[in-house]
């Protein structure tokens, strides 16, 4: 079968012929997204350590098995074994999540675990309730676009986005943000002023895949007892978040990772995401690219040169 192979950490993958997998349920892959986690694991610098090579990357995918359309996770790049970027993937039955027939497999794959993280960081860790004002950082990314749309669907009164490039700001607007703040400076005090102007009074919740200056800025517009949920560090591993901002308003700063989800909670969240895609409530920018073009697509995704999440189709 045709498969994408990472042969050396830090080097772009290749497409090659390899023996089909065996062992679990064999899923014919329809769609496999290239996510930040795939790119990170393949560098060999993630906290999972350098992966055993060669391996097929792809921590999630959508495929068919016996007439069912299913979403599936893998631990490719985090533990030995192959992932979703191949014609066929081997997946334990318990990990398969049945999808509604109306949901476009490529659109579900594009949203995938990024939308799961947005959804659960908002509603579960972030305890979003109807009528609240939410600030979504990195709103041009997949987590951010999903968070803008899912916060709205959960009844948020106002959603203020923060996004860096003009293309990302455009995606945030397309996702339905009420206002968009340009994250084009590292001056967190200047950014805080922009957020204060874009918000309608103090915010209740910040959804933060960026950390760095944008998180420190957004924390300054939270109300007393407000929450900031961090789920990524695209802007920086550290942040100039200061003690007086935290303690003067008794803020709650929370972390979130998909890695601690039980298979049941993850499966239920994927179904919620797929239903939202099928109903047209959730749509993230993506490109569909044939699996054969994976090496160039991988490099384009890593360099930020794509028009959204690239989804490989075998
Ligand atoms: N905790 C979890 O379970 C979980 C799950 C999924 C994702 N994540 C993490 O969440 C983050 C976002 O994921 P994603 O899927 O949304 O990624 P993505 O689609 O690649 O989007 C990343 C976004 O971050 C923006 N960005 C990058 N550097 C920035 C900076 N210095 N300042 C401001 N914005 C910056 C990019 O803006 P431009 O468009 O302007 O380049 C882009 O829109 C990643 O770190 C990912 O690892 C965590």
């Amino acid at each position: 079968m045709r498969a994408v192979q990472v042969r050396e950490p830090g080097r772009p993958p290749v497409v090659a012929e390899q023996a089909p997998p065996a062992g679990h349920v064999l899923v014919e892959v329809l769609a496999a997204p290239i996510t930040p986690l795939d790119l990170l694991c393949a560098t060999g610098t993630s906290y999972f350590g350098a992966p055993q090579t060669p391996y097929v990357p792809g921590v999630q995918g959508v495929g068919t098995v016996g007439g069912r359309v299913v979403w599936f996770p893998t631990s490719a790049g985090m533990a030995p074994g192959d992932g979703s970027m191949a014609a066929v993937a081997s997946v334990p039955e318990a990990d398969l999540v049945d999808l509604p027939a109306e949901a476009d497999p490529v659109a579900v794959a594009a949203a995938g675990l990024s939308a799961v993280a947005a959804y659960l960081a908002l509603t579960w860790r972030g305890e979003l309730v109807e009528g609240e004002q939410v600030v979504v950082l990195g709103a041009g990314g997949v987590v951010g676009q999903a968070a803008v749309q899912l916060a709205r669907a959960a009844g948020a009164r106002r959603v203020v986005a923060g996004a860096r490039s003009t293309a990302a700001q455009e995606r945030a607007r397309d996702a339905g943000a009420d206002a968009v703040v340009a994250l084009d400076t590292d001056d967190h005090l200047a950014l805080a002023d922009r957020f204060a102007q874009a918000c309608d009074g103090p915010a209740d919740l910040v959804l933060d895949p960026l950390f760095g200056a944008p998180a420190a800025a957004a924390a300054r517009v939270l109300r007393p007892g407000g929450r900031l949920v961090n789920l990524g560090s695209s802007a920086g591993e550290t942040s100039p978040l200061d003690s007086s901002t935290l303690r003067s308003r008794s803020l709650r700063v929370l972390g979130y990772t998909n890695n601690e989800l039980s298979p049941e909670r993850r499966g239920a969240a994927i179904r919620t995401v797929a239903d939202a895609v099928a109903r047209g409530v959730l749509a993230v920018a993506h490109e569909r690219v044939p699996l054969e073009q994976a090496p160039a697509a991988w490099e384009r995704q890593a360099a930020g040169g794509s028009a959204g999440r690239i989804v490989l189709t075998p």
Side-chain angles (χ1 to χ4, degrees):
M1 68 168 184
R2 300 299 278 169
V4 180
Q5 294 175 350
V6 173
R7 292 185 170 169
E8 199 186 325
R11 305 276 306 155
V14 298
V15 179
E17 204 59 28
Q18 72 175 54
H24 297 292
V25 178
L26 299 185
V27 179
E28 284 186 43
V29 179
L30 296 171
I34 303 176
T35 67
L37 183 57
D38 295 310
L39 298 170
L40 176 66
C41 288
T43 63
T45 62
S46 80
Y47 61 73
F48 302 103
Q52 273 180 25
T53 51
Y55 75 99
V56 176
V59 296
Q60 58 185 311
V62 174
T64 56
V65 54
R68 299 156 67 192
V69 180
V70 295
W71 176 93
F72 62 92
T74 84
S75 47
M78 298 177 275
D82 286 338
S84 59
M85 296 182 197
V88 178
S90 167
V91 186
E93 171 68 40
D95 283 347
L96 300 177
V97 180
D98 285 286
L99 297 178
E102 321 80 64
D104 171 21
V106 172
V108 173
L113 285 170
S114 291
V116 164
Y119 172 65
L120 290 176
L122 284 169
T123 60
W124 177 44
R125 183 74 82 243
E127 299 175 17
L128 173 62
V129 296
E130 219 174 303
E132 288 194 318
Q133 178 169 229
V134 181
V135 175
V136 175
L137 301 179
V142 176
V143 169
Q145 293 169 70
V148 169
Q149 295 167 80
L150 295 171
R152 177 82 68 216
R157 160 171 66 85
R158 183 173 175 82
V159 183
V160 173
R164 183 174 60 173
S165 61
T166 50
Q169 291 169 34
E170 197 56 41
R171 287 196 289 273
R173 249 175 236 111
D174 288 348
D178 293 300
V180 180
V181 167
L183 303 179
D184 55 6
T185 170
D186 285 336
D187 180 343
H188 68 285
L189 298 178
L191 291 178
D193 283 344
R194 293 182 195 174
F195 277 119
Q197 281 171 27
C199 285
D200 165 20
D204 302 283
L205 175 63
V206 175
L207 197 287
D208 168 35
L210 300 180
F211 216 44
R220 297 175 82 92
V221 300
L222 279 169
R223 67 162 166 80
R227 298 92 71 200
L228 181 148
V229 182
N230 175 264
L231 41 78
S233 56
S234 296
E237 199 43 47
T238 60
S239 168
L241 191 57
D242 55 53
S243 167
S244 50
T245 300
L246 290 180
R247 68 180 192 274
S248 63
R249 275 165 281 152
S250 301
L251 298 185
R252 285 195 284 149
V253 178
L254 306 157
Y256 173 86
T257 175
N258 279 339
N259 291 338
E260 70 160 355
L261 298 178
S262 65
E264 294 72 28
R265 191 183 288 274
R266 185 181 59 204
I270 280 287
R271 273 188 291 274
T272 299
V273 163
D275 282 343
V277 169
R279 287 186 290 117
V281 171
L282 174 64
V284 300
H286 62 275
E287 282 184 46
R288 175 194 296 250
V289 173
L291 184 105
E292 287 298 323
Q293 295 170 19
W298 182 280
E299 293 205 74
R300 217 151 46 78
Q301 186 83 82
S306 69
R309 177 66 28 93
I310 294 180
V311 181
L312 299 175
T313 53

